[in-house]
Amino acid sequence: SSSQRVWMDACHGFSGSDFGSRLHHHVFEPPDRAKEGQQTLLVSLGCGPGGWLQMSCFPETPAKLDWVGWCKANPHIVSLGAGAFAGTISETVLFPLDCLKTRLQSRRGFDQSGGFRGVYRGVGTAICAAAPASAIFFSTYETTKRNLTPYDHTHSVLGYCSIGLLSSILGELAAGVYRVPMDLVKQRQQAGHGKSLSEIARGLRSTHSSIFFASYLASFMRDIMHSSLQFPMYEYLKLALARWRRASGRDETDGLPTWQAASCGSVAGVLSAVCTTPLDLLRTWLNLRGSHEDCTMPKGIRTSPPALALLREEVLDVYRSRGVRGFFAGGLCRAAWMGLGGFIFLGSFELAKKHLLGEGATAIVDPA
């Protein structure tokens, strides 16, 4: 290498001198280049009392800089990759809570739906749904937020949160097209509606089409309401915390450590999960509604579209059988799932995004 040639030339030039025996070489990573993984060969030659002659050589710049530059030039790819990573991690770690929540909400009851047995049943389907759906959501969310930010001439908290609200709604609409049918399969596996995936698939083919459309409607209402609450709160909490850190002199940058950004996501996730539990329960009842169940509409709502009629029918059934408290069945598991999920999901997203972009250990929040 070039470093070795420098050292060999130095040795040859001074081998006959009276201080040739004092030749030393050291390989080290200087602070300003250590991040790039470059090594420097320092040749030190003894030149008498009080003096040293130093020669340094730097190898070629590694390919990592090209990768980081490509990521910065393609932010939508970064959002796709970071979103897929975050969705896979959160679904795998928190799947047991999601499974217990589904069984608590099941109309058949917790024990008949499986109880505490086989809490990882359906995890493969969940991962297959989470990675693409999260990638689609975050790609849409980040792209919309990036394109709308230049039009916010007020630079106010309201404008900042409004952009997050609209971005999250569009993200959920895009991701739900893929997520909803996969969630239907996952929940039927969790509740034991079939001993194998092929048996569940046969049940899906015989399921009334109104159930599919009603499940889509309930899922979209739940996800849009959840994102409309969670992500504006998430962005506001990050903004408020970053400004507080600057005002208190704790940090002069415009960013937050990853764990603090993830904590903001956790708080926002818990609050939005509690508010959206009734819609989540309706979606669960629709997803677990078997093909053998009657899909005729009750009196008074026959003129409504089938999907809306089924939703109204489920609302009445839950109220008659469980009362108002029945709409919040599984709410504790859902709040814990969303709280931990907000920390892991949004924290993993921020971590993966910063790693791909080659940034430091802070998330840029407020450039103003």
Side-chain angles (χ1 to χ4, degrees), residues 2-55:
S2 57
S3 299
Q4 291 173 332
R5 286 197 299 272
V6 170
W7 182 75
M8 292 174 66
D9 291 343
C11 287
H12 179 73
F14 293 97
S15 60
S17 64
D18 59 347
F19 54 85
S21 59
R22 299 173 60 186
L23 183 67
H24 305 282
H25 75 280
H26 306 279
V27 177
F28 70 103
E29 292 188 357
D32 59 330
R33 299 231 177 176
K35 291 183 180 180
E36 300 173 8
Q38 293 183 337
Q39 287 187 333
T40 302
L41 180 66
L42 173 64
V43 179
S44 301
L45 304 174
C47 298
W52 293 92
L53 174 62
Q54 298 180 345
M55 292 184 293

Side-chain angles (χ1 to χ4, degrees), residues 11-146:
C11 287
H12 179 73
F14 293 97
S15 60
S17 64
D18 59 347
F19 54 85
S21 59
R22 299 173 60 186
L23 183 67
H24 305 282
H25 75 280
H26 306 279
V27 177
F28 70 103
E29 292 188 357
D32 59 330
R33 299 231 177 176
K35 291 183 180 180
E36 300 173 8
Q38 293 183 337
Q39 287 187 333
T40 302
L41 180 66
L42 173 64
V43 179
S44 301
L45 304 174
C47 298
W52 293 92
L53 174 62
Q54 298 180 345
M55 292 184 293
S56 301
C57 176
F58 297 91
E60 295 181 359
T61 302
K64 180 181 177 182
L65 290 179
D66 294 334
W67 167 252
V68 172
W70 183 85
C71 287
K72 290 183 177 180
N74 298 273
H76 57 285
I77 301 296
V78 173
S79 299
L80 277 171
F85 173 77
T88 302
I89 294 297
S90 61
E91 279 291 342
T92 303
V93 173
L94 301 176
F95 186 82
L97 282 174
D98 181 34
C99 184
L100 293 177
K101 184 264 304 180
T102 298
R103 293 173 180 178
L104 285 168
Q105 292 179 340
S106 173
R107 70 177 76 221
R108 297 195 306 177
F110 180 73
D111 292 332
Q112 290 187 1
S113 297
F116 291 99
R117 301 181 303 275
V119 292
Y120 269 97
R121 186 186 302 161
V123 67
T125 304
I127 293 175
C128 291
S134 299
I136 294 170
F137 172 83
F138 271 117
S139 179
T140 306
Y141 177 80
E142 290 286 318
T143 301
T144 304
K145 191 170 72 169
R146 186 167 53 250

Side-chain angles (χ1 to χ4, degrees), residues 249-301:
R250 294 174 179 265
D251 193 354
E252 296 181 357
T253 65
D254 296 319
L256 288 176
T258 301
W259 72 269
Q260 291 187 2
S263 299
C264 294
S266 181
V267 173
V270 169
L271 295 176
S272 59
V274 173
C275 296
T276 55
T277 296
L279 288 172
D280 185 67
L281 180 125
L282 291 176
R283 186 198 68 133
T284 299
W285 276 43
L286 286 164
N287 284 347
L288 300 182
R289 186 167 181 148
S291 58
H292 62 280
E293 295 185 46
D294 183 22
C295 288
T296 58
M297 310 306 164
K299 291 182 178 180
I301 58 175

Side-chain angles (χ1 to χ4, degrees), residues 79-365:
S79 299
L80 277 171
F85 173 77
T88 302
I89 294 297
S90 61
E91 279 291 342
T92 303
V93 173
L94 301 176
F95 186 82
L97 282 174
D98 181 34
C99 184
L100 293 177
K101 184 264 304 180
T102 298
R103 293 173 180 178
L104 285 168
Q105 292 179 340
S106 173
R107 70 177 76 221
R108 297 195 306 177
F110 180 73
D111 292 332
Q112 290 187 1
S113 297
F116 291 99
R117 301 181 303 275
V119 292
Y120 269 97
R121 186 186 302 161
V123 67
T125 304
I127 293 175
C128 291
S134 299
I136 294 170
F137 172 83
F138 271 117
S139 179
T140 306
Y141 177 80
E142 290 286 318
T143 301
T144 304
K145 191 170 72 169
R146 186 167 53 250
N147 290 332
L148 290 180
T149 299
Y151 295 97
D152 179 21
H153 302 294
T154 63
H155 301 290
S156 63
V157 174
L158 179 60
Y160 187 74
C161 294
S162 298
I163 291 175
L165 171 62
L166 182 58
S167 301
S168 64
I169 291 175
L170 293 178
E172 289 294 353
L173 288 174
V177 175
Y178 178 81
R179 181 191 294 134
V180 170
M182 297 295 289
D183 277 352
L184 191 147
V185 175
K186 178 195 72 174
Q187 287 200 301
R188 292 193 176 188
Q189 287 179 292
Q190 291 174 333
H193 284 211
K195 296 181 180 180
S196 64
L197 186 60
S198 59
E199 185 176 344
I200 292 176
R202 287 194 298 270
L204 288 177
R205 286 196 296 268
S206 59
T207 299
H208 198 283
S209 60
S210 296
I211 295 178
F212 283 104
F213 288 113
S215 179
Y216 265 106
L217 187 58
S219 297
F220 281 135
M221 287 193 299
R222 182 207 63 174
D223 292 341
I224 289 175
M225 181 177 177
H226 177 76
S227 291
S228 299
L229 294 172
Q230 182 184 24
F231 282 90
M233 279 193 289
Y234 171 59
E235 298 290 354
Y236 174 76
L237 291 173
K238 286 199 304 178
L239 180 65
L241 186 56
R243 288 182 172 178
W244 175 80
R245 285 170 59 87
R246 288 202 303 272
S248 61
R250 294 174 179 265
D251 193 354
E252 296 181 357
T253 65
D254 296 319
L256 288 176
T258 301
W259 72 269
Q260 291 187 2
S263 299
C264 294
S266 181
V267 173
V270 169
L271 295 176
S272 59
V274 173
C275 296
T276 55
T277 296
L279 288 172
D280 185 67
L281 180 125
L282 291 176
R283 186 198 68 133
T284 299
W285 276 43
L286 286 164
N287 284 347
L288 300 182
R289 186 167 181 148
S291 58
H292 62 280
E293 295 185 46
D294 183 22
C295 288
T296 58
M297 310 306 164
K299 291 182 178 180
I301 58 175
R302 293 181 183 275
T303 57
S304 301
L308 289 175
L310 275 178
L311 273 174
R312 295 174 63 182
E313 182 184 351
E314 295 290 7
V315 170
L316 295 174
D317 285 347
V318 173
Y319 181 75
R320 283 194 295 260
S321 60
R322 300 186 178 184
V324 175
R325 293 182 59 183
F327 288 99
F328 292 90
L332 184 61
C333 282
R334 177 170 167 79
W337 177 42
M338 286 296 177
L340 294 173
F343 187 91
I344 297 173
F345 184 64
L346 295 172
S348 299
F349 174 75
E350 295 286 356
L351 183 65
K353 185 171 70 171
K354 288 182 294 184
H355 178 75
L356 290 173
L357 293 174
E359 297 174 353
T362 57
I364 298 299
V365 177

